[in-house]
Amino acid sequence: YDGTIHKSHLNKQDKQATMVAAAANVSNVLLRSRQVGQAKALGRRRRNHQHVLRRCAPPSSPTSSSSEDITPPSPTPPQPARDDDVLPDSLDDAVSISAARTTLALNQGVTRCIVELIIPELWDPISGAVMAESGDQMRLWDLSRSFIVELKQSMEDAGNPQPNVHVLYPDEGVAALLRNRWQDAEFTIGSMNERRPLARLEDRPDVVVVASPDPQSLDSLQNLELAASDMATSLVLLNPRLASGDAGIGLNVRRMRQNFLNRFSVTYSLRPIEDFGAQLKRYPEMWKIFLADPELPGRYCLAKELVNRPSGDEMEMIIDAYARSVRGDEEDDDQKGDASPLDSIMATMRSVQRFMNQITK
């Protein structure tokens, strides 16, 4: 019995020793595998590092034959400036420039300003709002808000920390609609059909903007100008339409309208001429007439610069002179052969200018 127990005990010890030895062998194998894996990873990292160093290494010395054959590319020459670069790139660009030019005029002592941002599909300088599609009226008022926001920002940048701007719309219905729609507006809103539009204001406004005044508001505008003068407040007319094509307007009304407008300075005006050109005025620069460049579609040539706004007759003469300069000759019509596309464009432009000249007289 004692011998049996002793042998069993010895067998257990042998099994434990065998298990310990096997575990040691497994640990040694795992350790060697880990060391081999680390060595391989280190070798890969070293090879990658050397590859990166070779890619990032500076070029060989200038004396080598390979570097002598490589010449650095010549810099791209700057594009020459064009006259039509002063035209805005977008409507937002035109709004921003008009606000900046108006602020410049106000800071130089001009207290009566006119801003014209004529969008053919929304606004016609003779007939007024076009309203071809639903929502066009609101787009027109949104344009006025964009201008006012840019004007306030421009005045702040010029040194007026909190400019007080009051905006007058054509009637109380529009004013109430916009007050409700623009509850977060940083300017006050009134209407032109109030008896005294500036009497109820708590604080004196720095600038009063009148949005899209029509011919019927001429008397109210004259009274508003007197009130603004008494308050030492600047007055800005945004897209005014004081001329109309209605028949029967007397000479006295025309003179009164012209005398009123003569007291204002145009700080910015952008008027497209159909699809063929544009009239541009930026304070304090001259009036510029741009007409289509026949060699570069989408670009315009400066046809004329004038001190005053061109009349219809002047525009017709400018168009004729530009057409002759583009054709490059002074031959009679019967010697020119078939009419070119430029001739048809110029004929359309002349007819448009004649029509506008007749209805604005």
Side-chain angles (χ1 to χ4, degrees):
Y1 179 79
D2 292 339
T4 303
I5 294 176
H6 179 68
K7 289 179 180 180
S8 176
H9 180 69
L10 290 177
N11 291 334
K12 291 181 179 180
Q13 289 181 347
D14 292 339
K15 292 179 179 179
Q16 291 176 354
T18 302
M19 293 174 63
V20 170
N25 291 333
V26 171
S27 299
N28 291 333
V29 171
L30 293 176
L31 179 61
R32 285 196 297 272
S33 299
R34 189 180 302 112
Q35 290 174 347
V36 171
Q38 292 175 351
K40 291 181 178 179
L42 180 60
R44 286 195 299 269
R45 287 196 296 269
R46 286 177 177 175
R47 288 193 297 272
N48 293 336
H49 182 64
Q50 292 173 356
H51 178 66
V52 171
L53 289 178
R54 285 195 298 269
R55 293 185 61 183
C56 299
S60 57
S61 66
T63 58
S64 63
S65 60
S66 60
S67 63
E68 291 178 354
D69 298 334
I70 300 175
T71 57
S74 58
T76 304
Q79 296 295 328
R82 286 180 54 98
D83 293 327
D84 61 348
D85 290 341
V86 298
L87 292 172
D89 297 327
S90 63
L91 179 59
D92 292 337
D93 190 23
V95 171
S96 178
I97 296 174
S98 65
R101 295 290 172 155
T102 303
T103 301
L104 175 63
L106 294 174
N107 290 339
Q108 293 184 355
V110 180
T111 60
R112 302 292 178 265
C113 304
I114 291 178
V115 175
E116 297 173 336
L117 296 169
I118 306 302
I119 306 175
E121 61 269 21
L122 292 181
W123 183 258
D124 182 80
I126 302 302
S127 59
V130 177
M131 308 305 157
E133 298 180 2
S134 175
D136 283 351
Q137 180 70 75
M138 198 62 223
R139 290 177 59 193
L140 190 63
W141 303 140
D142 288 336
L143 174 64
S144 68
R145 183 182 185 181
S146 298
F147 169 76
I148 297 161
V149 171
E150 289 288 342
L151 179 63
K152 282 178 61 66
Q153 183 62 50
S154 181
M155 294 175 67
E156 291 177 0
D157 296 341
N160 189 343
Q162 293 181 342
N164 185 5
V165 179
H166 184 63
V167 188
L168 295 174
Y169 287 94
D171 55 64
E172 184 57 33
V174 174
L177 171 67
L178 299 182
R179 286 194 203 100
N180 182 64
R181 190 181 183 94
W182 301 338
Q183 296 183 9
D184 59 340
E186 297 182 355
F187 52 87
T188 56
I189 297 175
S191 66
M192 281 299 297
N193 59 6
E194 297 178 10
R195 183 177 179 183
R196 300 174 63 187
L198 304 182
R200 299 181 181 180
L201 298 179
E202 297 180 358
D203 300 323
R204 182 191 69 84
D206 298 309
V207 178
V208 174
V209 179
V210 184
S212 305
D214 54 22
Q216 290 74 25
S217 63
L218 181 57
D219 291 337
S220 300
L221 283 174
Q222 292 178 324
N223 295 330
L224 178 66
E225 184 192 12
L226 295 176
S229 299
D230 295 338
M231 299 175 65
T233 296
S234 299
L235 189 60
V236 177
L237 305 183
L238 176 61
N239 286 342
R241 186 181 66 91
L242 301 183
S244 69
D246 297 337
I249 298 179
L251 182 60
N252 291 334
V253 175
R254 299 176 190 270
R255 288 177 176 174
M256 182 174 62
R257 178 189 65 203
Q258 194 58 45
N259 291 335
F260 173 78
L261 293 176
N262 287 341
R263 297 195 289 270
F264 286 75
S265 298
V266 178
T267 55
Y268 190 84
S269 177
L270 178 64
R271 289 192 175 204
I273 307 173
E274 293 296 312
D275 295 330
F276 317 123
Q279 292 184 16
L280 178 68
K281 165 67 176 178
R282 307 194 310 173
Y283 178 88
E285 300 172 4
M286 300 174 66
W287 287 85
K288 297 181 180 182
I289 311 301
F290 292 94
L291 298 176
D293 189 337
E295 298 180 356
L296 292 175
R299 299 307 297 259
Y300 301 89
C301 295
L302 179 60
K304 189 72 173 179
E305 286 186 294
L306 304 99
V307 176
N308 299 316
R309 184 197 300 269
S311 64
D313 294 334
E314 290 175 323
M315 280 300 303
E316 186 174 349
M317 290 187 292
I318 293 171
I319 292 170
D320 287 336
Y322 179 73
R324 289 195 300 269
S325 66
V326 170
R327 284 194 297 263
D329 57 37
E330 298 292 339
E331 296 178 354
D332 296 333
D333 293 338
D334 55 355
Q335 297 178 351
K336 293 177 183 177
D338 297 335
S340 65
L342 179 64
D343 294 329
S344 61
I345 291 176
M346 294 306 170
T348 304
M349 295 173 65
R350 285 192 291 268
S351 64
V352 171
Q353 290 303 321
R354 290 193 190 101
F355 172 74
M356 294 187 63
N357 188 36
Q358 291 295 326
I359 63 180
T360 55
K361 283 184 178 179

